[in-house]
Amino acid sequence: MEFYRAHVLVCGGTGCTSSNSEKIRQEFIAQLNKNKLDKEVQIVVTGCFGLCAQGPIVIVYPEGAMYTMVRLEDVQEIVEEHLIKGRLVKRLMAGDKDHEDPSKSLENVDFFKRQVRIALRNCGVINPENIDEYIAYDGYKALAKALTEMKPEDVIAEIKKSGLRGRGGAGFPTGLKWELTSKAKGSQKYIACNADEGDPGAFMDRSILEGDPHSVIEAMIIAGYAVGADQGYIYVRAEYPIAVNRLEIAIAQAKEYGLLGKNIFGTDFSFELELRLGAGAFVCGEETALITSIEGHRGEPKPKPPFPAVSGIWQKPTLLNNVETYANIPVILNKGADWFTTIGTEKSKGTKVFAVGGKINNTGLVEIPIGTSLREVIYDIGGGIPNGKKFKAAQTGGPSGGCIPASHIDTPIDFETLRELGSMMGSGGLIVMDEDNCMVDIAKFFLEFTVDESCGKCPPCRIGTKRMLEILERITGGKGEMEDIEKLEILSKNIISSALCGLGQSAPQPVLSTLRYFRDEYIAHVKDKKCPAGVCKSMMSYVIAADHCKSCGICARNCPVNAISGDKKVPYVIDQEKCIKCGVCMTKCPFKAIFKNA
Amino acid sequence: MSSNNCCCGIVDEKARKLQEIIENHKGQKGALIPVLHEAQDVYGYLPMSVQKTISEGLDVPLSEVYGVVTFYTQFSLKPKGRFKINTCMGTACYVKGSNLILEKLQEKLGIHVGDCTEDGKFSLEACRCIGACGLAPVIMINDDVYGRLTPDDIEKVLEKYKDL
Ligand SMILES: Cc1cc2nc3c(=O)[nH]c(=O)nc-3n(C[C@H](O)[C@H](O)[C@H](O)COP(=O)(O)O)c2cc1C
Ligand code: SF4
Ligand code: SF4
Ligand code: SF4
Ligand code: FES
Ligand code: FES
């Protein structure tokens, strides 16, 4: 390998790519060439650093200086100041700029301080398109150890001992699943990876695949050895082009190095890996549906049992785990189950990655020990709620989960506590809501999602969720009645007990959970015909405060439906019949004379 | 099999590619969905004629091909616009007002979600999280992402495509 005196890491995750990191990279190349530094400084494109809201992000080593929101015109300054003169560009640095050693800015960014990175260990650290970098960071060491020093049952025993639980949502003990698959009858078995990541608003798995694809590949090979399978499938969403591309590169490189294929590490163990692209159906994240989809059919779920461990892809025993679950495996084998069990809570070991989004300052990816409180995630890591607003609730588990209200903000996050609160861990989406969000509207949003995504196979889900949505539409439309609330509860119960698969069984959760903690909001919509958060359009209006209006006419000129009239010297008024509540007038009024009346 | 079904004599470039795709996957287990993905890359959508060719080529009943195409939202029976606008309606974008962005787009383009403008220039879709939640609310036009949007920004964004 050539020697470089400095490395410039440019984030190539989806968030930063969207905020133009590719152009930043090209500008670095141009600037380095111009200054003849291209032999001294290497540019590395990495996966997501986690702090996507501050993107595009650039880190310069050896100092480890993290530059945020880098613009094209900043590149020249970074090159001339930092790389040539050795002076940090403090203006662009994240974290405590006046710290004694500002170069260690990565360590003093609150966002990173409290995180423990196991599944994300290599994200933002290595170039995901280069297998040598993965290997340099202990990559494929666990595979070598498993194949040459351990028997399959030793591998399973170690995973069992680690206490690792599935990160795809349900938290099923991973070691036990491996054992069940290994004991299942049959000579042909399969390994599958669930990279369908359906929770809208979550991108943990995507970031792992984009930032560290080899960790998943290595784990799947280990799993193949442990349960006795020689073929694996990664089922990944077609909507993730960068992840798909990096997986393809990684698989090809692993093949080239003899880590996939015949007689891996000179043993008689062989393993092949193929990608299968999902095609945009949320239900395919459900394990039996995913398997049907890999087989090439409509992804409709099947009743369980039989479980995939017994009868999965082409009716053969199949081990299915989530991306993040796999990403933990190599580390557990390298560092040992005993080390892993020191992290987390009594019943849930290790860490969990969350995609924190919504009304929070540091939107991004965080990996925290299980048992960390929601308060720490939102305030210490997430930097709190923007614009001085009040925290109202956090939604976990996406359309299958529920919300955690402000009164429970100190709850330690683990599988059991979240379930007791009526939510669930889910795959890791964590959406923060503030006082401006209407909880009835949020429940409606998730139900619209399930109605859209229901595969239609069983009536309780197909028809029941539609009924529930109609009721919610009535309530948010100002036409609800008190008995509608009861009807929602009865329908929920029926759907939960009779739907065929997890999608239907959990679809009522967002409604039940918001009813549990925000019943008064439902009642306000039904009884007072008011939306306290001012979201539901049918229940609010825009009004002009006559004593503040300076009759400038700006609002009237901007109203798309000509709903505003007035004249010089007389205050303007909004014709409520015509108004479509677009809110344009309020943003345009230079004198803040227009307000929302909820 | 020699079912080279060219009845019209004009085997155009796309048809040739489709045959190639089918040949590559023939005999593979679970080949239908990968073939549909690749065929859609070639044609931009999956008209009945393409589905028929696939059905014959892979020896899968047409009803099954059609069933799979209609099940998955990624597969489209209708042609898309030259510029595909995808509005993220994932949760992170929704709580930051993506529905207002979508309304604005529908108003400006004069079409509904799932439709294409008459001149075939723009089509409008709603999608789930595109992984750029840090920039919420976001829309994608073909491969370009626009983030941190307000409804007022939409006009400026569309302006960029005026002469394209
Ligand atoms: C409707 C539905 C959607 C699901 N979506 C996902 C998903 O996107 N990703 C995932 O890993 N698991 C998902 N699951 C859970 C899987 O069925 C399965 O339990 C999981 O992939 C097993 O892996 P694990 O034990 O490693 O968590 C979903 C389940 C249901 C019912
Ligand atoms: S519960 Fe819903 S998604 Fe699941 S099988 Fe029934 S209809 Fe399909
Ligand atoms: S809210 Fe919109 S439609 Fe209503 S008056 Fe204001 S600008 Fe006009
Ligand atoms: S923009 Fe404001 S000040 Fe001007 S006419 Fe409208 S309400 Fe009055
Ligand atoms: S994509 Fe760059 S920090 Fe997340
Ligand atoms: S929810 Fe829109 S990008 Fe994630």
Side-chain angles (χ1 to χ4, degrees), chain A residues 461-500:
Chain A
C461 170
R462 185 183 65 235
I463 302 168
T465 54
K466 215 172 261 161
R467 287 293 98 79
M468 287 182 71
L469 179 58
E470 284 161 11
I471 295 178
L472 285 173
E473 279 167 350
R474 271 211 302 275
I475 295 179
T476 53
K479 301 198 177 72
E481 286 163 25
M482 281 309 280
E483 62 202 45
D484 279 335
I485 296 180
E486 256 163 71
K487 276 190 203 152
L488 280 175
E489 283 167 328
I490 296 169
L491 273 167
S492 296
K493 257 199 204 133
N494 290 342
I495 298 172
I496 291 171
S497 62
S498 56
L500 174 65

Side-chain angles (χ1 to χ4, degrees), chain B residues 48-99:
Chain B
M48 275 324 276
S49 58
V50 170
Q51 294 182 44
K52 228 167 136 181
T53 314
I54 293 173
S55 151
E56 285 159 10
L58 292 179
D59 206 12
V60 174
L62 183 58
S63 59
E64 166 138 13
V65 175
Y66 183 74
V68 168
V69 170
T70 48
F71 184 84
Y72 297 97
T73 49
Q74 278 266 309
F75 298 136
S76 173
L77 292 167
K78 284 195 243 172
K80 301 256 171 83
R82 275 193 295 128
F83 298 104
K84 291 186 272 292
I85 307 183
N86 244 320
T87 316
C88 180
M89 292 294 271
T91 320
C93 287
Y94 186 78
V95 302
K96 288 199 156 179
S98 58
N99 53 333

